[in-house]
Amino acid sequence: MTETASTQHDGPLQLDMDGLSRILFGHAAFQYLNAACELGLPDLVAEKQELTRDEIREALSLQERAADILLLGCTSLGILVKEDGRYRLAGVVRDLMDEGDWQRFKDTVAFEQYIVYEGQLDFTDSLRENRNVGLRRVRGSGRDLYHRLAENPHMEQVFYRYMRSWSELANKHLVRELDLSGRKHLLDCGGGDAVNAIALARANPDLKVTVLEIPASGTIAEKKIAQAGVGDQVSVVTGDMFSDALPTGCDVVMFAHQMVIWTPQENTDLLRRAYDALPEGGQVVIFNSMSNDDGDGPVVAALDSVYFAALPAEGGMIYSWATHEKSLRDAGFSTLKRIPFPGWTPHGVIVATK
């Protein structure tokens, strides 16, 4: 049985020549966004409300030509609005700032620039070979991106900032929508730096949370837990969730941003391991981005899938709700519930009960 909450359908865009041109030069459009973020242009304009071209140029220490290029791009793309010779922020950027999400957005931009961008050069070959060809551009010998991060300190720093921000954009909905009343112990498989574990622990003071991570990530999680002051609720166990025995005594197992990395068969194997570890009545939670069952959107899910095809591991994409539900049923779960989240990111949750 599947219970489905109502969700807004975000299908394919209606394409005209202007839209096709934006796709053609999409790489350049992104570089304007990244340059604006790195140079601090939106933050500067937000602070001053409105600025002239020369005020912006002087504040950013840019030569005239460089300032003209930057402002041409940011204005034509709609990041800035120009009226009477003065520049102000677009409403959508101002909204992100007012909602406290602008830094999270900038962390996502940095992730695309310093981790995803180069590997996307191998997207076509990754499709041809059905594997993450772009990983060859990441220094190291680990079997996937996550096992190479420790060998690339700047990339590791950018990655974990992004993952925390990407989670924070949606885990406020996770905390509100995921009913953990009566639950005693949650296992967060592949919990990264514990951002979701900490949020759930704070929202559920009687809940114990165990983060299962590889050793390099486990060390980072332990530091974040200590900084958050939730060490009495949240602990870390290191291991490989594919091969090591899952910690026992948990009545909820959560996979946050994990089911987008692996193939459906690998996801089914992980869910079957969770099923075997759970008591009768225990629950598994899948928390990540989802695509539509019709395979036509949302656009953010499609664009994000380029990263999963080209870089992190051998399989993965932003799978549809139905794909995850099939894996859950194949793993033995029968009662499923969809919870789509609002917002510009295509996050949601599927809760299944044993």
mmCIF file of all heavy atoms in Angstrom, residues 167-197:
data_model
loop_
_atom_site.group_PDB
_atom_site.id
_atom_site.type_symbol
_atom_site.label_atom_id
_atom_site.label_comp_id
_atom_site.label_asym_id
_atom_site.label_seq_id
_atom_site.Cartn_x
_atom_site.Cartn_y
_atom_site.Cartn_z
ATOM 1 N N SER A 167 21.358 19.821 2.770
ATOM 2 C CA SER A 167 20.473 19.191 3.750
ATOM 3 C C SER A 167 19.653 20.226 4.496
ATOM 4 O O SER A 167 18.442 20.053 4.713
ATOM 5 C CB SER A 167 21.280 18.349 4.743
ATOM 6 O OG SER A 167 21.816 17.206 4.118
ATOM 7 N N GLU A 168 20.305 21.332 4.887
ATOM 8 C CA GLU A 168 19.602 22.352 5.668
ATOM 9 C C GLU A 168 18.491 23.020 4.872
ATOM 10 O O GLU A 168 17.508 23.507 5.448
ATOM 11 C CB GLU A 168 20.596 23.400 6.173
ATOM 12 C CG GLU A 168 21.473 22.881 7.297
ATOM 13 C CD GLU A 168 22.539 23.876 7.707
ATOM 14 O OE1 GLU A 168 22.842 24.805 6.929
ATOM 15 O OE2 GLU A 168 23.086 23.716 8.816
ATOM 16 N N LEU A 169 18.628 23.054 3.544
ATOM 17 C CA LEU A 169 17.566 23.616 2.722
ATOM 18 C C LEU A 169 16.282 22.804 2.835
ATOM 19 O O LEU A 169 15.195 23.317 2.573
ATOM 20 C CB LEU A 169 18.008 23.674 1.252
ATOM 21 C CG LEU A 169 19.002 24.780 0.900
ATOM 22 C CD1 LEU A 169 19.594 24.532 -0.476
ATOM 23 C CD2 LEU A 169 18.335 26.149 0.949
ATOM 24 N N ALA A 170 16.396 21.539 3.227
ATOM 25 C CA ALA A 170 15.220 20.665 3.274
ATOM 26 C C ALA A 170 14.972 20.029 4.629
ATOM 27 O O ALA A 170 13.850 19.596 4.899
ATOM 28 C CB ALA A 170 15.354 19.558 2.223
ATOM 29 N N ASN A 171 15.985 19.928 5.518
ATOM 30 C CA ASN A 171 15.731 19.158 6.747
ATOM 31 C C ASN A 171 14.841 19.885 7.738
ATOM 32 O O ASN A 171 14.365 19.279 8.695
ATOM 33 C CB ASN A 171 17.019 18.635 7.391
ATOM 34 C CG ASN A 171 17.908 19.704 7.976
ATOM 35 O OD1 ASN A 171 17.510 20.859 8.158
ATOM 36 N ND2 ASN A 171 19.142 19.311 8.269
ATOM 37 N N LYS A 172 14.585 21.186 7.515
ATOM 38 C CA LYS A 172 13.551 21.838 8.317
ATOM 39 C C LYS A 172 12.196 21.201 8.036
ATOM 40 O O LYS A 172 11.347 21.094 8.928
ATOM 41 C CB LYS A 172 13.515 23.336 8.038
ATOM 42 C CG LYS A 172 13.321 23.706 6.579
ATOM 43 C CD LYS A 172 13.521 25.197 6.351
ATOM 44 C CE LYS A 172 13.468 25.551 4.864
ATOM 45 N NZ LYS A 172 13.797 26.978 4.627
ATOM 46 N N HIS A 173 11.992 20.774 6.788
ATOM 47 C CA HIS A 173 10.765 20.046 6.445
ATOM 48 C C HIS A 173 10.830 18.611 6.964
ATOM 49 O O HIS A 173 9.811 18.059 7.402
ATOM 50 C CB HIS A 173 10.559 20.048 4.940
ATOM 51 C CG HIS A 173 10.573 21.414 4.323
ATOM 52 N ND1 HIS A 173 9.680 22.397 4.670
ATOM 53 C CD2 HIS A 173 11.399 21.969 3.390
ATOM 54 C CE1 HIS A 173 9.927 23.492 3.975
ATOM 55 N NE2 HIS A 173 10.974 23.261 3.200
ATOM 56 N N LEU A 174 12.010 18.017 6.926
ATOM 57 C CA LEU A 174 12.187 16.667 7.468
ATOM 58 C C LEU A 174 11.813 16.631 8.938
ATOM 59 O O LEU A 174 11.074 15.748 9.385
ATOM 60 C CB LEU A 174 13.646 16.226 7.281
ATOM 61 C CG LEU A 174 14.047 14.897 7.912
ATOM 62 C CD1 LEU A 174 13.440 13.742 7.137
ATOM 63 C CD2 LEU A 174 15.575 14.754 7.960
ATOM 64 N N VAL A 175 12.312 17.601 9.701
ATOM 65 C CA VAL A 175 12.039 17.667 11.139
ATOM 66 C C VAL A 175 10.544 17.827 11.402
ATOM 67 O O VAL A 175 9.988 17.215 12.312
ATOM 68 C CB VAL A 175 12.836 18.826 11.772
ATOM 69 C CG1 VAL A 175 12.352 19.121 13.173
ATOM 70 C CG2 VAL A 175 14.328 18.482 11.787
ATOM 71 N N ARG A 176 9.892 18.640 10.572
ATOM 72 C CA ARG A 176 8.475 18.909 10.784
ATOM 73 C C ARG A 176 7.586 17.757 10.318
ATOM 74 O O ARG A 176 6.589 17.418 10.968
ATOM 75 C CB ARG A 176 8.067 20.187 10.042
ATOM 76 C CG ARG A 176 6.626 20.600 10.302
ATOM 77 C CD ARG A 176 6.254 21.901 9.618
ATOM 78 N NE ARG A 176 6.274 21.786 8.161
ATOM 79 C CZ ARG A 176 7.139 22.423 7.383
ATOM 80 N NH1 ARG A 176 8.055 23.216 7.924
ATOM 81 N NH2 ARG A 176 7.099 22.275 6.070
ATOM 82 N N GLU A 177 7.940 17.129 9.194
ATOM 83 C CA GLU A 177 7.041 16.147 8.579
ATOM 84 C C GLU A 177 7.283 14.711 9.039
ATOM 85 O O GLU A 177 6.366 13.887 8.978
ATOM 86 C CB GLU A 177 7.183 16.206 7.048
ATOM 87 C CG GLU A 177 6.829 17.550 6.435
ATOM 88 C CD GLU A 177 5.351 17.863 6.512
ATOM 89 O OE1 GLU A 177 4.560 16.949 6.802
ATOM 90 O OE2 GLU A 177 4.984 19.036 6.305
ATOM 91 N N LEU A 178 8.505 14.391 9.471
ATOM 92 C CA LEU A 178 8.801 13.017 9.862
ATOM 93 C C LEU A 178 8.370 12.790 11.303
ATOM 94 O O LEU A 178 8.935 13.356 12.236
ATOM 95 C CB LEU A 178 10.298 12.731 9.706
ATOM 96 C CG LEU A 178 10.750 11.313 10.035
ATOM 97 C CD1 LEU A 178 10.065 10.295 9.125
ATOM 98 C CD2 LEU A 178 12.274 11.187 9.914
ATOM 99 N N ASP A 179 7.376 11.958 11.478
ATOM 100 C CA ASP A 179 6.829 11.663 12.808
ATOM 101 C C ASP A 179 7.654 10.556 13.464
ATOM 102 O O ASP A 179 7.578 9.392 13.068
ATOM 103 C CB ASP A 179 5.362 11.235 12.680
ATOM 104 C CG ASP A 179 4.714 10.981 14.039
ATOM 105 O OD1 ASP A 179 5.353 11.274 15.072
ATOM 106 O OD2 ASP A 179 3.572 10.478 14.063
ATOM 107 N N LEU A 180 8.435 10.934 14.464
ATOM 108 C CA LEU A 180 9.259 9.968 15.191
ATOM 109 C C LEU A 180 8.766 9.759 16.618
ATOM 110 O O LEU A 180 9.493 9.217 17.447
ATOM 111 C CB LEU A 180 10.718 10.450 15.207
ATOM 112 C CG LEU A 180 11.423 10.470 13.846
ATOM 113 C CD1 LEU A 180 12.791 11.136 13.957
ATOM 114 C CD2 LEU A 180 11.557 9.067 13.273
ATOM 115 N N SER A 181 7.530 10.166 16.887
ATOM 116 C CA SER A 181 6.976 9.960 18.221
ATOM 117 C C SER A 181 6.898 8.468 18.522
ATOM 118 O O SER A 181 6.451 7.668 17.706
ATOM 119 C CB SER A 181 5.583 10.589 18.317
ATOM 120 O OG SER A 181 4.727 10.078 17.314
ATOM 121 N N GLY A 182 7.365 8.103 19.684
ATOM 122 C CA GLY A 182 7.385 6.693 20.070
ATOM 123 C C GLY A 182 8.606 5.941 19.603
ATOM 124 O O GLY A 182 8.830 4.800 20.011
ATOM 125 N N ARG A 183 9.402 6.537 18.745
ATOM 126 C CA ARG A 183 10.630 5.901 18.269
ATOM 127 C C ARG A 183 11.773 6.185 19.247
ATOM 128 O O ARG A 183 11.865 7.272 19.815
ATOM 129 C CB ARG A 183 10.999 6.411 16.873
ATOM 130 C CG ARG A 183 9.924 6.115 15.823
ATOM 131 C CD ARG A 183 9.772 4.628 15.588
ATOM 132 N NE ARG A 183 8.617 4.309 14.743
ATOM 133 C CZ ARG A 183 8.273 3.080 14.390
ATOM 134 N NH1 ARG A 183 9.008 2.047 14.814
ATOM 135 N NH2 ARG A 183 7.218 2.863 13.650
ATOM 136 N N LYS A 184 12.638 5.202 19.406
ATOM 137 C CA LYS A 184 13.682 5.307 20.423
ATOM 138 C C LYS A 184 15.088 5.524 19.862
ATOM 139 O O LYS A 184 15.895 6.212 20.467
ATOM 140 C CB LYS A 184 13.675 4.049 21.294
ATOM 141 C CG LYS A 184 12.368 3.853 22.076
ATOM 142 C CD LYS A 184 12.409 2.580 22.899
ATOM 143 C CE LYS A 184 11.120 2.394 23.690
ATOM 144 N NZ LYS A 184 11.126 1.128 24.476
ATOM 145 N N HIS A 185 15.378 4.896 18.715
ATOM 146 C CA HIS A 185 16.767 4.904 18.241
ATOM 147 C C HIS A 185 16.775 4.909 16.721
ATOM 148 O O HIS A 185 16.264 3.983 16.085
ATOM 149 C CB HIS A 185 17.508 3.684 18.777
ATOM 150 C CG HIS A 185 18.996 3.784 18.658
ATOM 151 N ND1 HIS A 185 19.853 2.954 19.333
ATOM 152 C CD2 HIS A 185 19.797 4.619 17.947
ATOM 153 C CE1 HIS A 185 21.114 3.268 19.042
ATOM 154 N NE2 HIS A 185 21.092 4.281 18.197
ATOM 155 N N LEU A 186 17.368 5.940 16.133
ATOM 156 C CA LEU A 186 17.442 6.068 14.681
ATOM 157 C C LEU A 186 18.876 5.853 14.226
ATOM 158 O O LEU A 186 19.810 6.428 14.790
ATOM 159 C CB LEU A 186 16.946 7.440 14.241
ATOM 160 C CG LEU A 186 16.912 7.743 12.746
ATOM 161 C CD1 LEU A 186 15.707 8.628 12.397
ATOM 162 C CD2 LEU A 186 18.207 8.446 12.274
ATOM 163 N N LEU A 187 19.053 5.039 13.201
ATOM 164 C CA LEU A 187 20.353 4.818 12.575
ATOM 165 C C LEU A 187 20.402 5.627 11.292
ATOM 166 O O LEU A 187 19.600 5.431 10.384
ATOM 167 C CB LEU A 187 20.553 3.334 12.271
ATOM 168 C CG LEU A 187 21.827 2.969 11.492
ATOM 169 C CD1 LEU A 187 23.072 3.307 12.293
ATOM 170 C CD2 LEU A 187 21.821 1.490 11.100
ATOM 171 N N ASP A 188 21.350 6.554 11.218
ATOM 172 C CA ASP A 188 21.524 7.424 10.053
ATOM 173 C C ASP A 188 22.666 6.857 9.221
ATOM 174 O O ASP A 188 23.843 7.113 9.487
ATOM 175 C CB ASP A 188 21.827 8.845 10.534
ATOM 176 C CG ASP A 188 21.922 9.858 9.404
ATOM 177 O OD1 ASP A 188 21.693 9.478 8.239
ATOM 178 O OD2 ASP A 188 22.226 11.033 9.693
ATOM 179 N N CYS A 189 22.314 6.098 8.169
ATOM 180 C CA CYS A 189 23.322 5.422 7.349
ATOM 181 C C CYS A 189 23.928 6.396 6.347
ATOM 182 O O CYS A 189 23.216 7.003 5.543
ATOM 183 C CB CYS A 189 22.688 4.254 6.597
ATOM 184 S SG CYS A 189 22.319 2.825 7.608
ATOM 185 N N GLY A 190 25.252 6.536 6.400
ATOM 186 C CA GLY A 190 25.916 7.488 5.524
ATOM 187 C C GLY A 190 25.535 8.904 5.874
ATOM 188 O O GLY A 190 25.293 9.739 4.995
ATOM 189 N N GLY A 191 25.525 9.212 7.175
ATOM 190 C CA GLY A 191 25.001 10.485 7.664
ATOM 191 C C GLY A 191 25.905 11.679 7.494
ATOM 192 O O GLY A 191 25.607 12.749 8.031
ATOM 193 N N GLY A 192 27.021 11.546 6.776
ATOM 194 C CA GLY A 192 27.886 12.695 6.494
ATOM 195 C C GLY A 192 28.414 13.342 7.756
ATOM 196 O O GLY A 192 28.909 12.662 8.675
ATOM 197 N N ASP A 193 28.278 14.652 7.851
ATOM 198 C CA ASP A 193 28.789 15.362 9.024
ATOM 199 C C ASP A 193 27.733 15.484 10.122
ATOM 200 O O ASP A 193 27.853 16.328 11.007
ATOM 201 C CB ASP A 193 29.332 16.736 8.636
ATOM 202 C CG ASP A 193 28.242 17.723 8.253
ATOM 203 O OD1 ASP A 193 27.079 17.310 8.115
ATOM 204 O OD2 ASP A 193 28.558 18.923 8.095
ATOM 205 N N ALA A 194 26.698 14.646 10.051
ATOM 206 C CA ALA A 194 25.664 14.534 11.092
ATOM 207 C C ALA A 194 24.669 15.696 11.087
ATOM 208 O O ALA A 194 23.939 15.880 12.058
ATOM 209 C CB ALA A 194 26.285 14.379 12.485
ATOM 210 N N VAL A 195 24.581 16.438 9.997
ATOM 211 C CA VAL A 195 23.680 17.583 9.963
ATOM 212 C C VAL A 195 22.225 17.172 10.191
ATOM 213 O O VAL A 195 21.492 17.839 10.943
ATOM 214 C CB VAL A 195 23.835 18.361 8.634
ATOM 215 C CG1 VAL A 195 23.587 17.479 7.417
ATOM 216 C CG2 VAL A 195 22.911 19.572 8.607
ATOM 217 N N ASN A 196 21.795 16.071 9.594
ATOM 218 C CA ASN A 196 20.411 15.623 9.777
ATOM 219 C C ASN A 196 20.221 14.950 11.128
ATOM 220 O O ASN A 196 19.175 15.112 11.765
ATOM 221 C CB ASN A 196 20.015 14.674 8.641
ATOM 222 C CG ASN A 196 20.068 15.357 7.290
ATOM 223 O OD1 ASN A 196 19.475 16.416 7.081
ATOM 224 N ND2 ASN A 196 20.796 14.761 6.361
ATOM 225 N N ALA A 197 21.215 14.201 11.561
ATOM 226 C CA ALA A 197 21.141 13.560 12.874
ATOM 227 C C ALA A 197 20.992 14.603 13.979
ATOM 228 O O ALA A 197 20.185 14.434 14.912
ATOM 229 C CB ALA A 197 22.390 12.707 13.106
#
